[in-house]
């Protein structure tokens, strides 16, 4: 018999919110702004994985993150999105505190209440919930790439 699904607070405490970052500062800024506005967000659960971005300094990204959020900057680019995601999954699998993973692309903007929607979706999907943002980055040219 499978374990009972976690209540929202247990889900939220055990959630790793992973943001793969490679350049695209403007997109990252908008995602992080929307995350900061999320009512139920636990800032320490946010992990930005910078895959050796070269369009901005690590301090600029750090400045967009909540002080409790984690920034992991790799000194060498992974070479592909698949490899960058492998790094994230390895970190998640070896985490002693995280049981759930929300992988948010910088091209996303989340609405308030997204955490509860993710929790309900995860419960209904028996642990696997996938939301895709496609086609990929068609609005790139519309967004400034300089943080404010």
């Amino acid at each position: 018999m499978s374990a009972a699904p976690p209540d929202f607070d247990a889900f939220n405490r055990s959630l790793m919110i992973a943001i793969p970052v490679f350049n695209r500062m403007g997109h990252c800024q908008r995602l992080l702004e929307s995350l900061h506005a999320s009512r139920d967000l636990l800032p320490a659960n946010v992990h930005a994985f910078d895959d050796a971005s070269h369009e901005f300094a690590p301090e600029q990204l750090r400045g967009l993150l909540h002080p409790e959020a984690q920034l992991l900057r790799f000194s060498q680019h992974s070479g592909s999105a698949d490899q960058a995601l492998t790094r994230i999954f390895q970190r998640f699998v070896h985490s002693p505190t995280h049981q759930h993973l929300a992988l948010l692309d910088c091209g996303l903007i989340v609405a308030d209440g997204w955490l509860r929607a993710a929790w309900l979706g995860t419960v209904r999907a028996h642990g696997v919930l996938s939301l895709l943002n496609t086609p990929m980055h068609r609005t790139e040219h519309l967004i400034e790439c300089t943080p404010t």
Side-chain angles (χ1 to χ4, degrees), residues 98-147:
H98 298 104
Q99 300 298 313
H100 302 92
L101 174 65
L103 186 63
L104 302 180
D105 181 78
C106 279
L108 294 174
I109 295 175
V110 298
D112 191 23
W114 77 275
L115 280 167
R116 289 188 183 272
W119 166 66
L120 287 172
T122 301
V123 169
R124 291 179 184 149
H126 305 288
V128 178
L129 176 66
S130 177
L131 303 173
L132 300 176
N133 178 24
T134 58
M136 190 171 162
H137 315 304
R138 281 212 173 145
T139 59
E140 184 82 21
H141 67 284
L142 300 175
I143 297 178
E144 289 290 326
C145 292
T146 313

Short mmCIF file of all heavy atoms in Angstrom, two decimals, residues 98-147:
data_model
loop_
_atom_site.label_atom_id
_atom_site.label_comp_id
_atom_site.label_asym_id
_atom_site.label_seq_id
_atom_site.Cartn_x
_atom_site.Cartn_y
_atom_site.Cartn_z
N HIS A 98 14.84 17.27 0.88
CA HIS A 98 13.86 17.50 -0.18
C HIS A 98 13.29 16.19 -0.71
O HIS A 98 14.04 15.31 -1.13
CB HIS A 98 14.48 18.32 -1.31
CG HIS A 98 14.92 19.67 -0.87
ND1 HIS A 98 16.23 19.98 -0.66
CD2 HIS A 98 14.21 20.78 -0.56
CE1 HIS A 98 16.32 21.24 -0.25
NE2 HIS A 98 15.11 21.73 -0.17
N GLN A 99 11.97 16.10 -0.69
CA GLN A 99 11.27 14.92 -1.20
C GLN A 99 10.50 15.21 -2.48
O GLN A 99 10.03 14.30 -3.14
CB GLN A 99 10.30 14.40 -0.14
CG GLN A 99 10.97 14.01 1.15
CD GLN A 99 11.96 12.87 0.96
OE1 GLN A 99 11.65 11.88 0.32
NE2 GLN A 99 13.16 13.04 1.47
N HIS A 100 10.34 16.48 -2.81
CA HIS A 100 9.60 16.90 -4.00
C HIS A 100 10.43 17.93 -4.74
O HIS A 100 11.18 18.69 -4.13
CB HIS A 100 8.24 17.49 -3.61
CG HIS A 100 7.41 16.55 -2.83
ND1 HIS A 100 7.42 16.51 -1.45
CD2 HIS A 100 6.56 15.58 -3.22
CE1 HIS A 100 6.60 15.57 -1.04
NE2 HIS A 100 6.07 14.98 -2.09
N LEU A 101 10.25 17.96 -6.05
CA LEU A 101 11.03 18.86 -6.90
C LEU A 101 10.09 19.63 -7.83
O LEU A 101 9.27 19.03 -8.52
CB LEU A 101 12.04 18.06 -7.73
CG LEU A 101 12.85 18.83 -8.77
CD1 LEU A 101 13.78 19.84 -8.10
CD2 LEU A 101 13.65 17.85 -9.63
N ALA A 102 10.24 20.94 -7.84
CA ALA A 102 9.57 21.80 -8.82
C ALA A 102 10.68 22.42 -9.65
O ALA A 102 11.52 23.15 -9.13
CB ALA A 102 8.74 22.87 -8.14
N LEU A 103 10.72 22.10 -10.90
CA LEU A 103 11.74 22.59 -11.82
C LEU A 103 11.11 23.72 -12.63
O LEU A 103 10.20 23.48 -13.43
CB LEU A 103 12.20 21.44 -12.71
CG LEU A 103 13.35 21.69 -13.65
CD1 LEU A 103 14.62 22.02 -12.88
CD2 LEU A 103 13.58 20.46 -14.51
N LEU A 104 11.57 24.94 -12.40
CA LEU A 104 10.96 26.11 -13.04
C LEU A 104 11.94 26.75 -14.01
O LEU A 104 12.98 27.26 -13.61
CB LEU A 104 10.56 27.15 -11.99
CG LEU A 104 9.59 26.69 -10.90
CD1 LEU A 104 9.30 27.85 -9.95
CD2 LEU A 104 8.30 26.16 -11.51
N ASP A 105 11.60 26.74 -15.27
CA ASP A 105 12.42 27.40 -16.28
C ASP A 105 12.31 28.91 -16.11
O ASP A 105 11.26 29.43 -15.70
CB ASP A 105 11.92 27.00 -17.68
CG ASP A 105 12.75 27.63 -18.77
OD1 ASP A 105 13.85 27.13 -19.03
OD2 ASP A 105 12.30 28.65 -19.34
N CYS A 106 13.38 29.61 -16.41
CA CYS A 106 13.38 31.08 -16.28
C CYS A 106 12.34 31.74 -17.18
O CYS A 106 11.98 32.89 -16.93
CB CYS A 106 14.77 31.64 -16.58
SG CYS A 106 15.88 31.53 -15.19
N GLY A 107 11.86 31.05 -18.17
CA GLY A 107 10.84 31.62 -19.04
C GLY A 107 9.45 31.62 -18.43
O GLY A 107 8.52 32.15 -19.02
N LEU A 108 9.30 31.05 -17.24
CA LEU A 108 8.00 31.00 -16.58
C LEU A 108 7.78 32.19 -15.68
O LEU A 108 8.73 32.77 -15.15
CB LEU A 108 7.88 29.73 -15.72
CG LEU A 108 7.88 28.40 -16.45
CD1 LEU A 108 7.91 27.26 -15.43
CD2 LEU A 108 6.67 28.28 -17.34
N ILE A 109 6.54 32.54 -15.50
CA ILE A 109 6.12 33.49 -14.46
C ILE A 109 5.01 32.77 -13.71
O ILE A 109 4.05 32.30 -14.32
CB ILE A 109 5.61 34.81 -15.05
CG1 ILE A 109 6.76 35.52 -15.77
CG2 ILE A 109 5.01 35.69 -13.97
CD1 ILE A 109 6.34 36.79 -16.49
N VAL A 110 5.17 32.62 -12.40
CA VAL A 110 4.18 31.87 -11.63
C VAL A 110 3.16 32.81 -11.01
O VAL A 110 3.46 33.95 -10.68
CB VAL A 110 4.86 31.00 -10.53
CG1 VAL A 110 5.78 29.97 -11.16
CG2 VAL A 110 5.62 31.86 -9.53
N ALA A 111 1.96 32.30 -10.86
CA ALA A 111 0.88 33.05 -10.23
C ALA A 111 0.84 32.73 -8.75
O ALA A 111 1.27 31.66 -8.32
CB ALA A 111 -0.45 32.68 -10.88
N ASP A 112 0.33 33.67 -7.98
CA ASP A 112 0.14 33.40 -6.56
C ASP A 112 -0.79 32.19 -6.46
O ASP A 112 -1.74 32.06 -7.20
CB ASP A 112 -0.48 34.61 -5.86
CG ASP A 112 -0.45 34.48 -4.36
OD1 ASP A 112 0.40 33.73 -3.83
OD2 ASP A 112 -1.27 35.13 -3.70
N GLY A 113 -0.47 31.28 -5.58
CA GLY A 113 -1.26 30.07 -5.45
C GLY A 113 -0.70 28.90 -6.25
O GLY A 113 -1.24 27.80 -6.21
N TRP A 114 0.39 29.13 -6.97
CA TRP A 114 0.95 28.05 -7.80
C TRP A 114 1.44 26.88 -6.96
O TRP A 114 1.36 25.73 -7.39
CB TRP A 114 2.09 28.57 -8.68
CG TRP A 114 3.39 28.79 -7.96
CD1 TRP A 114 3.77 29.90 -7.27
CD2 TRP A 114 4.45 27.86 -7.83
NE1 TRP A 114 5.01 29.71 -6.72
CE2 TRP A 114 5.46 28.47 -7.06
CE3 TRP A 114 4.67 26.56 -8.30
CZ2 TRP A 114 6.64 27.84 -6.73
CZ3 TRP A 114 5.86 25.93 -7.98
CH2 TRP A 114 6.83 26.57 -7.20
N LEU A 115 1.93 27.16 -5.74
CA LEU A 115 2.41 26.07 -4.89
C LEU A 115 1.28 25.13 -4.50
O LEU A 115 1.44 23.90 -4.53
CB LEU A 115 3.08 26.63 -3.63
CG LEU A 115 4.51 27.13 -3.81
CD1 LEU A 115 4.95 27.95 -2.61
CD2 LEU A 115 5.44 25.96 -4.03
N ARG A 116 0.14 25.68 -4.14
CA ARG A 116 -0.99 24.82 -3.80
C ARG A 116 -1.50 24.07 -5.02
O ARG A 116 -1.88 22.89 -4.92
CB ARG A 116 -2.11 25.63 -3.15
CG ARG A 116 -1.72 26.08 -1.76
CD ARG A 116 -2.87 26.72 -0.99
NE ARG A 116 -2.40 27.19 0.29
CZ ARG A 116 -2.36 26.44 1.39
NH1 ARG A 116 -2.77 25.20 1.36
NH2 ARG A 116 -1.92 26.94 2.53
N ALA A 117 -1.48 24.70 -6.17
CA ALA A 117 -1.88 24.00 -7.40
C ALA A 117 -0.90 22.87 -7.73
O ALA A 117 -1.31 21.78 -8.13
CB ALA A 117 -1.96 25.00 -8.56
N ALA A 118 0.39 23.12 -7.53
CA ALA A 118 1.40 22.07 -7.76
C ALA A 118 1.19 20.92 -6.79
O ALA A 118 1.29 19.75 -7.16
CB ALA A 118 2.80 22.65 -7.64
N TRP A 119 0.91 21.25 -5.53
CA TRP A 119 0.67 20.21 -4.53
C TRP A 119 -0.55 19.36 -4.93
O TRP A 119 -0.47 18.13 -4.94
CB TRP A 119 0.46 20.85 -3.16
CG TRP A 119 -0.11 19.93 -2.13
CD1 TRP A 119 0.49 18.82 -1.59
CD2 TRP A 119 -1.39 20.02 -1.52
NE1 TRP A 119 -0.36 18.22 -0.68
CE2 TRP A 119 -1.51 18.96 -0.62
CE3 TRP A 119 -2.44 20.93 -1.65
CZ2 TRP A 119 -2.65 18.75 0.15
CZ3 TRP A 119 -3.57 20.73 -0.88
CH2 TRP A 119 -3.67 19.65 0.00
N LEU A 120 -1.65 19.99 -5.27
CA LEU A 120 -2.85 19.24 -5.68
C LEU A 120 -2.58 18.41 -6.92
O LEU A 120 -3.00 17.25 -7.00
CB LEU A 120 -4.02 20.20 -5.93
CG LEU A 120 -4.65 20.82 -4.69
CD1 LEU A 120 -5.68 21.88 -5.08
CD2 LEU A 120 -5.29 19.74 -3.83
N GLY A 121 -1.88 18.98 -7.88
CA GLY A 121 -1.55 18.23 -9.09
C GLY A 121 -0.66 17.04 -8.81
O GLY A 121 -0.85 15.96 -9.37
N THR A 122 0.31 17.22 -7.91
CA THR A 122 1.21 16.13 -7.55
C THR A 122 0.45 15.02 -6.84
O THR A 122 0.65 13.84 -7.13
CB THR A 122 2.35 16.66 -6.65
OG1 THR A 122 3.05 17.66 -7.37
CG2 THR A 122 3.31 15.55 -6.27
N VAL A 123 -0.45 15.38 -5.95
CA VAL A 123 -1.26 14.38 -5.24
C VAL A 123 -2.13 13.62 -6.25
O VAL A 123 -2.18 12.39 -6.23
CB VAL A 123 -2.12 15.05 -4.15
CG1 VAL A 123 -3.16 14.10 -3.60
CG2 VAL A 123 -1.23 15.58 -3.04
N ARG A 124 -2.77 14.33 -7.13
CA ARG A 124 -3.66 13.69 -8.11
C ARG A 124 -2.90 12.83 -9.11
O ARG A 124 -3.42 11.85 -9.62
CB ARG A 124 -4.49 14.74 -8.84
CG ARG A 124 -5.51 15.39 -7.96
CD ARG A 124 -6.29 16.45 -8.70
NE ARG A 124 -7.20 17.11 -7.79
CZ ARG A 124 -7.57 18.37 -7.89
NH1 ARG A 124 -7.11 19.11 -8.89
NH2 ARG A 124 -8.38 18.91 -7.02
N ALA A 125 -1.66 13.23 -9.41
CA ALA A 125 -0.85 12.50 -10.39
C ALA A 125 0.03 11.44 -9.72
O ALA A 125 0.89 10.85 -10.36
CB ALA A 125 0.03 13.47 -11.18
N HIS A 126 -0.18 11.22 -8.44
CA HIS A 126 0.59 10.23 -7.68
C HIS A 126 2.09 10.51 -7.72
O HIS A 126 2.90 9.61 -7.87
CB HIS A 126 0.27 8.81 -8.16
CG HIS A 126 -1.19 8.50 -8.10
ND1 HIS A 126 -1.86 8.31 -6.91
CD2 HIS A 126 -2.11 8.41 -9.09
CE1 HIS A 126 -3.15 8.08 -7.18
NE2 HIS A 126 -3.32 8.14 -8.48
N GLY A 127 2.44 11.78 -7.65
CA GLY A 127 3.85 12.14 -7.48
C GLY A 127 4.54 12.72 -8.67
O GLY A 127 5.60 13.29 -8.54
N VAL A 128 3.98 12.60 -9.86
CA VAL A 128 4.65 13.14 -11.05
C VAL A 128 3.74 14.15 -11.71
O VAL A 128 2.63 13.82 -12.13
CB VAL A 128 5.01 12.02 -12.05
CG1 VAL A 128 5.66 12.60 -13.30
CG2 VAL A 128 5.91 10.99 -11.40
N LEU A 129 4.22 15.36 -11.79
CA LEU A 129 3.45 16.42 -12.43
C LEU A 129 4.41 17.17 -13.34
O LEU A 129 5.49 17.57 -12.93
CB LEU A 129 2.88 17.38 -11.38
CG LEU A 129 2.13 18.59 -11.90
CD1 LEU A 129 0.85 18.16 -12.62
CD2 LEU A 129 1.81 19.55 -10.77
N SER A 130 4.03 17.33 -14.58
CA SER A 130 4.89 18.02 -15.53
C SER A 130 4.10 19.12 -16.21
O SER A 130 3.03 18.88 -16.76
CB SER A 130 5.40 17.02 -16.58
OG SER A 130 6.18 17.69 -17.54
N LEU A 131 4.65 20.32 -16.15
CA LEU A 131 4.08 21.46 -16.85
C LEU A 131 5.13 21.96 -17.83
O LEU A 131 6.26 22.24 -17.45
CB LEU A 131 3.74 22.59 -15.86
CG LEU A 131 2.79 22.21 -14.74
CD1 LEU A 131 2.67 23.37 -13.76
CD2 LEU A 131 1.43 21.84 -15.29
N LEU A 132 4.77 22.04 -19.07
CA LEU A 132 5.74 22.44 -20.09
C LEU A 132 5.45 23.85 -20.57
O LEU A 132 4.30 24.23 -20.73
CB LEU A 132 5.71 21.47 -21.27
CG LEU A 132 6.03 20.01 -20.94
CD1 LEU A 132 5.87 19.15 -22.17
CD2 LEU A 132 7.43 19.88 -20.37
N ASN A 133 6.51 24.58 -20.85
CA ASN A 133 6.41 25.93 -21.37
C ASN A 133 6.94 25.89 -22.80
O ASN A 133 8.13 25.93 -23.02
CB ASN A 133 7.25 26.88 -20.51
CG ASN A 133 7.22 28.29 -21.04
OD1 ASN A 133 6.30 28.69 -21.71
ND2 ASN A 133 8.25 29.05 -20.71
N THR A 134 6.05 25.75 -23.77
CA THR A 134 6.47 25.67 -25.16
C THR A 134 5.58 26.57 -26.00
O THR A 134 4.48 26.89 -25.59
CB THR A 134 6.39 24.23 -25.69
OG1 THR A 134 5.06 23.79 -25.55
CG2 THR A 134 7.34 23.31 -24.96
N PRO A 135 5.95 26.97 -27.20
CA PRO A 135 7.27 26.79 -27.79
C PRO A 135 8.31 27.60 -27.04
O PRO A 135 7.99 28.59 -26.41
CB PRO A 135 7.13 27.26 -29.22
CG PRO A 135 5.93 28.16 -29.22
CD PRO A 135 5.05 27.73 -28.06
N MET A 136 9.52 27.19 -27.13
CA MET A 136 10.57 27.68 -26.24
C MET A 136 10.98 29.12 -26.55
O MET A 136 11.46 29.41 -27.62
CB MET A 136 11.78 26.76 -26.34
CG MET A 136 12.82 27.04 -25.32
SD MET A 136 14.03 25.73 -25.39
CE MET A 136 15.36 26.51 -24.57
N HIS A 137 10.77 29.98 -25.59
CA HIS A 137 11.33 31.33 -25.55
C HIS A 137 11.05 32.19 -26.78
O HIS A 137 11.88 32.92 -27.23
CB HIS A 137 12.83 31.26 -25.29
CG HIS A 137 13.18 30.31 -24.22
ND1 HIS A 137 12.66 30.40 -22.96
CD2 HIS A 137 13.96 29.22 -24.22
CE1 HIS A 137 13.11 29.42 -22.23
NE2 HIS A 137 13.90 28.67 -22.96
N ARG A 138 9.84 32.12 -27.27
CA ARG A 138 9.49 32.95 -28.42
C ARG A 138 9.46 34.44 -28.07
O ARG A 138 9.50 35.26 -28.96
CB ARG A 138 8.12 32.55 -28.96
CG ARG A 138 8.20 31.33 -29.81
CD ARG A 138 7.15 31.40 -30.89
NE ARG A 138 7.37 30.30 -31.79
CZ ARG A 138 6.41 29.65 -32.39
NH1 ARG A 138 5.17 30.00 -32.22
NH2 ARG A 138 6.69 28.66 -33.20
N THR A 139 9.38 34.76 -26.79
CA THR A 139 9.28 36.17 -26.39
C THR A 139 10.64 36.74 -25.99
O THR A 139 10.71 37.86 -25.50
CB THR A 139 8.31 36.32 -25.21
OG1 THR A 139 8.79 35.52 -24.13
CG2 THR A 139 6.91 35.90 -25.59
N GLU A 140 11.70 36.01 -26.19
CA GLU A 140 13.05 36.44 -25.77
C GLU A 140 13.36 37.88 -26.21
O GLU A 140 13.86 38.68 -25.44
CB GLU A 140 14.08 35.48 -26.34
CG GLU A 140 15.49 35.76 -25.89
CD GLU A 140 15.79 35.18 -24.53
OE1 GLU A 140 15.09 34.26 -24.10
OE2 GLU A 140 16.72 35.67 -23.89
N HIS A 141 13.04 38.20 -27.44
CA HIS A 141 13.37 39.53 -27.96
C HIS A 141 12.52 40.65 -27.35
O HIS A 141 12.86 41.82 -27.45
CB HIS A 141 13.23 39.54 -29.49
CG HIS A 141 11.80 39.39 -29.95
ND1 HIS A 141 11.14 38.17 -29.92
CD2 HIS A 141 10.92 40.31 -30.40
CE1 HIS A 141 9.92 38.35 -30.38
NE2 HIS A 141 9.76 39.62 -30.66
N LEU A 142 11.43 40.31 -26.67
CA LEU A 142 10.56 41.31 -26.08
C LEU A 142 10.96 41.72 -24.67
O LEU A 142 10.45 42.69 -24.14
CB LEU A 142 9.11 40.79 -26.04
CG LEU A 142 8.49 40.44 -27.40
CD1 LEU A 142 7.12 39.84 -27.19
CD2 LEU A 142 8.42 41.68 -28.28
N ILE A 143 11.85 40.95 -24.06
CA ILE A 143 12.20 41.17 -22.66
C ILE A 143 13.60 41.74 -22.54
O ILE A 143 14.54 41.20 -23.11
CB ILE A 143 12.08 39.86 -21.86
CG1 ILE A 143 10.62 39.41 -21.87
CG2 ILE A 143 12.58 40.03 -20.44
CD1 ILE A 143 10.38 38.11 -21.17
N GLU A 144 13.74 42.83 -21.80
CA GLU A 144 15.06 43.39 -21.52
C GLU A 144 15.88 42.37 -20.75
O GLU A 144 15.37 41.66 -19.91
CB GLU A 144 14.92 44.66 -20.68
CG GLU A 144 14.34 45.83 -21.43
CD GLU A 144 15.28 46.39 -22.47
OE1 GLU A 144 16.50 46.38 -22.23
OE2 GLU A 144 14.80 46.83 -23.51
N CYS A 145 17.15 42.30 -21.01
CA CYS A 145 18.02 41.35 -20.34
C CYS A 145 18.87 42.01 -19.26
O CYS A 145 19.89 41.48 -18.86
CB CYS A 145 18.90 40.63 -21.35
SG CYS A 145 17.93 39.56 -22.41
N THR A 146 18.46 43.16 -18.80
CA THR A 146 19.20 43.86 -17.75
C THR A 146 18.33 43.99 -16.52
O THR A 146 17.20 44.45 -16.62
CB THR A 146 19.60 45.28 -18.23
OG1 THR A 146 20.16 45.19 -19.53
CG2 THR A 146 20.59 45.91 -17.28
N PRO A 147 18.82 43.53 -15.35
CA PRO A 147 17.99 43.64 -14.15
C PRO A 147 17.78 45.09 -13.74
O PRO A 147 18.63 45.94 -14.00
CB PRO A 147 18.78 42.89 -13.09
CG PRO A 147 20.18 42.88 -13.58
CD PRO A 147 20.11 42.96 -15.08
#
